[in-house]
């Protein structure tokens, strides 16, 4: 991993807007993009395909280590291909998210994915989206953001996103699932969801995506100079 390559880490809970913000920022900057949550979703999916139990930590870590995956941000959305199959939509279901949260709680799985995540750090720079990007994976990142929003607002956003993708959802189930997943992600002993000490918090409940992007662009210019955006 080259420490001279700039990294912007964007962490936060599900539905905080970090997926949209980080993808747009990576495109605007012309930098690489790492969706670390997709890696955990892919381990969960690969486990299902290879009939590996979600509590078999060693077998899941082996799957994570050997994951045959390709990402393409040039498509409209992030295109994700697992073992030659386009799984872009499959990994976004709530079931896939819940499986991801379970495998993500296993230390051996997290360790197995570290080198793969570091390999995304290439010139001209990297924007990363996750839970532990600023705390564990890229602790030396020069700009760390932590996006937050209320659980209700996050459930509403998730509902709209899923509907747009033609995936069935129920709003009260979503609020409950989001609360359950938040608890699991923030209470686990390895790499829990929390802001890095030097992260800047961006509260997104009451502001639209354009305003969030303006705030983020301002922070980027402050950190990297006016010429980056
Ligand atoms: O961001 P997401 O919803 O795609 O993440 C799916 C799950 O993966 C989420 O419940 C927590 C976990 N995750 C993690 O533990 N660490 C990361 N860096 C990214 C995601």
């Amino acid at each position: 991993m080259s420490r001279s390559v700039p990294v912007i880490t964007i962490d936060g809970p599900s539905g905080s807007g970090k997926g949209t913000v980080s993808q747009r920022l990576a495109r605007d900057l012309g930098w690489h993009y790492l969706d670390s949550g997709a890696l955990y979703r892919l381990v969960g999916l690969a486990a299902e395909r290879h009939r590996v139990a979600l509590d078999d930590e060693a077998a899941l870590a082996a799957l994570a280590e050997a994951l045959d995956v390709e990402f393409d941000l040039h498509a409209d959305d992030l295109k994700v291909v697992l073992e030659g199959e386009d799984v872009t939509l499959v990994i976004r279901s709530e079931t896939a998210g819940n499986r991801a949260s379970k495998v993500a709680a296993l230390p051996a799985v997290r360790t197995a994915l570290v080198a793969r995540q570091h390999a995304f750090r290439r010139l001209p720079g990297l924007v990363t989206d996750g839970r532990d990007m600023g705390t564990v994976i890229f602790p030396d990142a020069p700009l760390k953001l932590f996006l937050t929003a209320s659980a209700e607002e996050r459930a509403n956003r998730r509902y709209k996103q899923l509907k747009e993708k033609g995936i069935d959802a129920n709003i009260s189930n979503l609020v409950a699932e989001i609360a359950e997943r938040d608890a699991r992600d923030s209470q686990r002993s390895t790499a829990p969801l929390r802001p890095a000490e030097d992260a800047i918090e961006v509260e997104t409940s009451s502001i639209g995506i354009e305003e969030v992007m303006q705030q983020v662009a301002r922070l980027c210019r402050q950190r990297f100079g006016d010429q980056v955006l």
Side-chain angles (χ1 to χ4, degrees):
M1 173 174 58
S2 171
R3 286 182 181 269
S4 58
V5 177
V7 180
I8 300 172
T9 59
I10 304 189
D11 289 304
S14 339
S16 58
K18 69 194 160 57
T20 311
V21 171
S22 50
Q23 282 189 27
R24 276 184 62 169
L25 186 62
R27 281 201 185 91
D28 291 351
L29 289 164
W31 288 11
H32 298 283
Y33 171 63
L34 164 62
D35 177 354
S36 61
L39 291 174
Y40 293 98
R41 288 171 183 265
L42 285 161
V43 174
L45 182 63
E48 195 180 349
R49 302 263 157 103
H50 295 277
R51 296 181 199 285
V52 172
L54 289 189
D55 58 358
D56 187 343
E57 186 166 355
L60 290 168
L63 268 186
E65 186 94 46
L67 214 55
D68 169 14
V69 56
E70 278 167 52
F71 292 105
D72 182 5
L73 184 60
H74 298 293
D76 283 351
D77 205 352
L78 177 73
K79 182 179 171 191
V80 185
V81 176
L82 175 68
E83 295 165 2
E85 179 192 340
D86 185 342
V87 295
T88 308
L89 284 181
V90 182
I91 60 161
R92 299 299 164 196
S93 71
E94 289 309 290
T95 315
N98 288 325
R99 292 174 71 87
S101 169
K102 286 180 187 150
V103 301
L106 304 172
V109 171
R110 304 197 72 86
T111 304
L113 291 174
V114 170
R116 190 184 289 266
Q117 294 177 85
H118 285 168
F120 279 77
R121 189 172 192 172
R122 284 179 285 127
L123 285 169
L126 174 66
V127 179
T128 69
D129 166 346
R131 303 290 189 293
D132 63 341
M133 299 293 96
T135 48
V136 176
I137 305 295
F138 300 104
D140 67 323
L143 181 59
K144 299 179 184 178
L145 305 179
F146 194 86
L147 265 56
T148 58
S150 68
E152 287 72 26
E153 176 58 24
R154 290 187 286 127
N156 276 328
R157 289 177 188 170
R158 201 74 175 171
Y159 182 78
K160 279 194 207 139
Q161 261 179 7
L162 291 169
K163 282 278 163 194
E164 274 165 21
K165 289 184 173 149
I167 300 171
D168 242 358
N170 167 301
I171 193 84
S172 49
N173 286 351
L174 281 177
V175 175
E177 277 173 19
I178 280 187
E180 191 187 324
R181 199 174 329 157
D182 277 0
R184 192 167 339 128
D185 293 343
S186 49
Q187 284 159 21
R188 67 179 178 224
S189 53
T190 313
L193 169 67
R194 63 174 176 81
E197 271 173 22
D198 50 350
I200 300 167
E201 294 205 25
V202 180
E203 160 59 51
T204 72
S205 292
S206 55
I207 56 174
I209 177 69
E210 298 308 328
E211 207 175 317
V212 177
M213 287 309 298
Q214 279 168 18
Q215 276 192 29
V216 169
R218 205 161 38 238
L219 293 166
C220 284
R221 285 194 294 268
Q222 273 169 14
R223 186 65 190 81
F224 301 105
D226 283 340
Q227 70 284 1
V228 292
L229 272 171

